Amino acid sequence: MNTRKNSGGATTTPVKRQVTKRAASSGSASERRDHLVKLAAELFARKGFQATTVREIAEEAGILSGSLYHHFDSKESIVDEVLTTFLDDLVGRYRVALEQEGEPRAILSEMVRIGFGTLEPHRAAITVMQNDWNYLRSLPGGRFDYLVKAEDEVERMWVEQIKLGQAVGQFRADVDPKLTYRMIRDTIWVAVRWFRPGGRLNTTGLAEHYITVLFDGLATGERSSQRA
């Protein structure tokens, strides 16, 4: 969940700012707050959290910087909401999958689908976690300690399911469960860098393709005959 690199910059256009200004100044307070979070999330994803200023967020929304503080006391509060919304959704969906009765392979397949399914609705949050994980964790006060706790919980869910599959003979016993999970995790999250909605495959198609490779493999024939 934490492939950590820096992101590049981006610019906005006057047309976009005029549109967002109308959106930010209309609707209920909760709608305006949600709109600001989405705008900020996109800026964080494009420029990086550290490089994005409160003034830039306000300009993107077509409001004064001071007006932003009516909704949030800092940009840390904004990114906090971006990340907790994503993690709450992800962990909640994983918990539901684990509560279903089924074989480990079927449950693990559903967890893969859930992971790939977050690439569109939570694209910005996933990008921020990859780019700014170390910086957010370094901030004083332990405000973002929940990132590690959430990651640990997700890892535990996956590893336990892989171990269960090994115990019942569905998964190979000679693979390391934690390493296997981390390779799956990185495959899913790094996809946010190249996946584009509207392409040949949607997130459902990506998930099904990956499930096929994960469980059926790439090579043909007996595994033993393929070894050097």
Side-chain angles (χ1 to χ4, degrees):
M1 195 183 297
N2 52 347
T3 310
R4 304 150 189 170
K5 296 180 181 179
N6 292 325
S7 57
T11 58
T12 58
T13 64
V15 173
K16 182 176 182 180
R17 190 168 298 129
Q18 289 169 2
V19 172
T20 56
K21 182 175 181 178
R22 287 195 297 270
S25 60
S26 62
S28 67
S30 62
E31 289 174 337
R32 291 195 297 272
R33 179 185 176 90
D34 290 344
H35 183 67
L36 289 171
V37 170
K38 290 178 181 177
L39 287 178
E42 290 300 322
L43 281 174
F44 295 152
R46 292 201 307 264
K47 299 189 62 175
F49 174 75
Q50 296 180 70
T52 302
T53 65
V54 169
R55 178 181 227 174
E56 288 172 324
I57 298 171
E59 287 179 351
E60 185 77 359
I63 61 177
L64 297 175
S65 298
S67 300
L68 194 64
Y69 289 105
H70 289 300
H71 302 278
F72 302 96
D73 59 8
S74 65
K75 70 174 186 175
E76 285 77 16
S77 294
I78 304 176
V79 78
D80 204 351
E81 187 156 329
V82 171
L83 297 179
T84 55
T85 299
F86 162 57
L87 291 172
D88 287 348
D89 184 38
L90 178 69
V91 173
R93 289 174 183 269
Y94 280 158
R95 287 173 179 164
V96 170
L98 292 172
E99 290 170 358
Q100 306 304 309
E101 294 184 2
E103 297 179 339
R105 174 169 172 162
I107 294 176
L108 212 65
S109 296
E110 182 60 23
M111 293 176 75
V112 169
R113 295 184 185 102
I114 290 168
F116 276 106
T118 64
L119 294 182
E120 286 194 60
H122 297 294
R123 182 194 62 79
I126 296 168
T127 303
V128 170
M129 288 192 66
Q130 291 182 351
N131 294 342
D132 295 295
W133 176 280
N134 287 335
Y135 175 74
L136 293 172
R137 287 283 294 111
S138 72
L139 294 176
R143 178 169 191 162
F144 293 95
D145 285 353
Y146 67 84
L147 295 177
V148 173
K149 293 179 181 178
E151 183 178 48
D152 288 345
E153 181 178 1
V154 168
E155 181 172 285
R156 177 187 57 76
M157 291 176 176
W158 279 85
V159 170
E160 287 181 356
Q161 200 62 31
I162 293 171
K163 288 181 177 179
L164 181 59
Q166 290 175 319
V168 299
Q170 282 199 329
F171 303 152
R172 290 171 52 174
D174 61 342
V175 297
D176 181 89
K178 182 177 288 189
L179 178 60
T180 301
Y181 156 67
R182 291 183 176 182
M183 295 176 75
I184 295 171
R185 173 200 67 188
D186 290 350
T187 298
I188 295 172
W189 299 140
V190 172
V192 77
R193 296 186 177 276
W194 53 262
F195 171 73
R196 293 295 177 268
R200 183 173 62 89
L201 290 177
N202 56 20
T203 55
T204 300
L206 285 180
E208 296 307 319
H209 181 85
Y210 184 67
I211 289 168
T212 298
V213 174
L214 178 65
F215 291 123
D216 298 334
L218 185 62
T220 60
E222 295 294 329
R223 187 171 66 246
S224 60
S225 67
Q226 304 298 321
R227 291 178 178 173

